[in-house]
Amino acid sequence: MYSFSPKLKSTSIILLVVGLVLFAIGFFMNKGLSTEKIEHMMEAVHASGHTAPTHSSEMVGPQDHAAHLEHAELQVHNQPLASLHFVAVFFFGISCAVLFFYCIQHAAHAGWPIIITRVMEAIASYIPYGGAILVILMILNITHNGHLFHWMDPELTDPNSAHFDVILFEKKRFLNIPFYAIRTLIYVIGASFFAWKLKAQSKKVDETKSKVDYQMLYRWAVGYIAFFGFASAAWAWDWLMSIDPHWYSTMYIWYSMVSCLSSGIAVIILLSVYLKKNGFLPQFNDNHLHDLGVFLFATSMLWTYTWFAQFMLYWYANVPEEVNYFFGRFQHYGPTFLPMLIINFLLPLLVLVSSSIKRNYKVVTTMAVVVILGHLLDYFNMVMPGTVGPYWKTPEVFLLIAGAVLFVAGLFMFTVLTALSKLKLIPTGNPFLHESEIYEYPF
């Protein structure tokens, strides 16, 4: 039985509190920015010669100075919500992706990962808490206290308005506030239900050791795989891609999901190795680490494939409305956009390609941390350009992002480790437990 140490508990609470303080400081700094200050920021951006739009809305409606200033004010005041949004979606996606990985193993009747079953269940325990943050953000946006989603402005679908946008008018059957709110609740409540049900059924299997109960666990796992397949695609549209509703990519849903899946496997590695090194999970060995390393390597390469396929097709086609998504990021997000390929592709390729390296605890855990940070940066690049635009290199943005990351990471750590302390680490009722304990990679 794992015991949540007072030191780690204090650390997670400190992260929560420090994150809140930093976010609050950044929030009040942002609210203190006057229209004159924002106008100076806008003029500085224009004077730099970097005028590529980061959002298609900049090309629709009036193009005079007043319209540009109004847009700049919205972007600057988006900083607090945008900073929290990308971190919240990322960690919620990680926990849902880990539950997906867990269900795949059960659906495949895989024997090797049974030792880390409880690790994955504990990570999935964050889902309702992460979902609650996203529901709060949804409420702020639909009540127009936040402006992350351009399409929520009613003027854009009013044919009599000077800001009328014919593309959004055509998409409003899907992109409308009531349907968006309902979908968000479906994602959060549905994922929370499956996390609870799968944990409860897994516990029941331990208690009864019944093959019938294990068969029900298998069926619920298949059910979640189907739910996740649809929901992860739809929340990528809603929470990420609809930030710029003119832009569309068929690769985006896979690209954003694989980013979370790779990070989720990295979190499984870190937690499993932590338990191993502290004597709570001695059954975990370098063979299990090797297979997790294989999945970390494979998902990193899959992410690279989806990123490049999306980029290459749009860049080669050179359709102005589509290529602006990338061109704006090249101009305004040069330090973060392409350099993330080094972290998310090149380092995993060079380090994890060797089979023997995947058995090295220090190397694999280091790469796990690198992958998590790299994909957090990836989600930064998904959200910030379309919400904040070029106004991100400011002290308040760095405080907001640091605060959001520390707060959500502290909540994630506290929730996961608390859940883990309430679980029996070894699933003694699972019929494949012995296979996992004696598992040895044959090569």
Side-chain angles (χ1 to χ4, degrees):
M1 195 81 175
Y2 169 70
S3 176
F4 192 0
S5 71
K7 184 177 180 181
L8 270 181
K9 188 176 290 187
S10 299
T11 301
S12 61
I13 293 171
I14 288 169
L15 288 175
L16 273 164
V17 173
V18 172
L20 277 174
V21 170
L22 291 178
F23 191 86
I25 294 170
F27 177 83
F28 287 112
M29 287 175 65
N30 175 268
K31 291 302 176 185
L33 293 172
S34 64
T35 301
E36 291 75 18
K37 173 66 175 175
I38 295 172
E39 188 171 15
H40 289 318
M41 292 167 66
M42 181 186 75
E43 290 170 352
V45 169
H46 291 169
S48 70
H50 290 173
T51 56
T54 54
H55 194 287
S56 57
S57 65
E58 295 176 58
M59 301 181 286
V60 178
Q63 298 294 313
D64 56 11
H65 179 79
H68 288 307
L69 179 58
E70 180 186 8
H71 195 83
E73 285 186 293
L74 286 173
Q75 287 181 316
V76 169
H77 292 307
N78 271 341
Q79 290 171 356
L81 277 190
S83 300
L84 183 57
H85 182 76
F86 88 85
V87 180
V89 174
F90 178 66
F91 277 90
F92 179 81
I94 284 177
S95 52
C96 289
V98 167
L99 190 61
F100 172 64
F101 185 73
Y102 166 91
C103 289
I104 287 175
Q105 308 309 318
H106 281 307
H109 294 305
W112 73 270
I114 302 306
I115 285 297
I116 56 171
T117 290
R118 298 295 186 244
V119 170
M120 293 186 280
E121 289 177 1
I123 295 169
S125 298
Y126 173 77
I127 289 173
Y129 301 93
I133 296 173
L134 290 169
V135 169
I136 293 169
L137 291 174
M138 177 268 290
I139 293 169
L140 289 173
N141 280 294
I142 67 175
T143 55
H144 305 294
N145 290 300
H147 301 90
L148 298 186
F149 300 97
H150 174 65
W151 56 265
M152 289 186 180
D153 185 347
E155 287 190 21
L156 300 174
T157 52
D158 179 4
N160 299 316
S161 170
H163 297 278
F164 177 66
D165 189 325
V166 67
I167 293 178
L168 296 188
F169 183 77
E170 294 296 328
K171 291 185 176 184
K172 72 175 185 177
R173 288 184 180 179
F174 184 80
L175 290 179
N176 60 79
I177 287 175
F179 195 21
Y180 171 83
I182 291 168
R183 290 195 304 271
T184 297
L185 292 174
I186 289 172
Y187 309 146
V188 172
I189 295 171
S192 300
F193 167 75
F194 275 105
W196 167 77
K197 185 62 182 179
L198 286 161
K199 282 176 62 179
Q201 190 64 31
S202 178
K203 183 179 179 181
K204 188 176 181 181
V205 170
D206 274 2
E207 292 169 351
T208 65
K209 297 181 173 57
S210 166
K211 298 296 189 294
V212 174
D213 288 332
Y214 178 75
Q215 181 67 13
M216 287 303 298
L217 178 62
Y218 166 85
R219 291 176 181 177
W220 280 110
V222 172
Y224 179 73
I225 291 171
F227 170 82
F228 180 81
F230 287 103
S232 64
W235 77 53
W237 293 332
D238 283 332
W239 297 339
L240 299 170
M241 195 159 63
S242 79
I243 284 171
D244 190 344
H246 281 215
W247 188 78
Y248 182 81
S249 167
T250 54
M251 299 294 294
Y252 195 91
I253 56 177
W254 312 112
Y255 158 63
S256 60
M257 185 274 284
V258 173
S259 188
C260 286
L261 182 58
S262 187
S263 303
I265 292 167
V267 173
I268 294 171
I269 289 171
L270 292 176
L271 190 50
S272 299
V273 172
Y274 162 74
L275 293 173
K276 166 77 173 180
K277 294 299 184 183
N278 286 276
F280 295 109
L281 197 61
Q283 296 88 343
F284 182 84
N285 58 47
D286 58 354
N287 294 290
H288 301 105
L289 182 70
H290 176 275
D291 277 22
L292 286 170
V294 168
F295 279 107
L296 186 64
F297 176 78
T299 52
S300 295
M301 297 307 104
L302 179 57
W303 175 87
T304 307
Y305 165 75
T306 56
W307 185 93
F308 179 74
Q310 178 176 265
F311 167 73
M312 185 272 292
L313 290 171
Y314 279 130
W315 196 253
Y316 183 74
N318 200 27
V319 179
E321 193 172 81
E322 307 293 0
V323 83
N324 268 325
Y325 179 89
F326 297 101
F327 194 50
R329 283 161 170 76
F330 286 159
Q331 283 204 356
H332 304 294
Y333 286 77
T336 64
F337 187 57
L338 287 180
M340 75 174 174
L341 290 173
I342 298 172
I343 307 171
N344 293 332
F345 165 58
L346 192 59
L347 288 178
L349 175 65
L350 296 177
V351 175
L352 293 175
V353 71
S354 166
S355 184
S356 59
I357 283 291
K358 297 187 188 77
R359 297 174 182 275
N360 187 306
Y361 283 83
K362 287 185 179 178
V363 172
V364 176
T365 51
T366 300
M367 285 310 304
V369 173
V370 168
V371 165
I372 293 168
L373 294 177
H375 287 292
L376 184 62
L377 184 62
D378 182 22
Y379 265 68
F380 170 89
N381 287 322
M382 289 187 212
V383 172
M384 298 299 277
T387 54
V388 173
Y391 310 106
W392 66 279
K393 296 178 182 178
T394 62
E396 55 268 20
V397 170
F398 291 106
L399 285 171
L400 288 165
I401 291 173
V405 170
L406 291 176
F407 172 76
V408 177
L411 178 64
F412 184 84
M413 181 178 172
F414 184 85
T415 304
V416 169
L417 294 180
T418 299
L420 192 64
S421 67
K422 297 176 181 178
L423 295 169
K424 185 169 65 172
L425 282 183
I426 304 300
T428 52
N430 193 293
F432 294 97
L433 176 61
H434 181 64
E435 181 181 336
S436 185
E437 289 175 330
I438 65 170
Y439 174 69
E440 186 174 347
Y441 188 73
F443 301 106

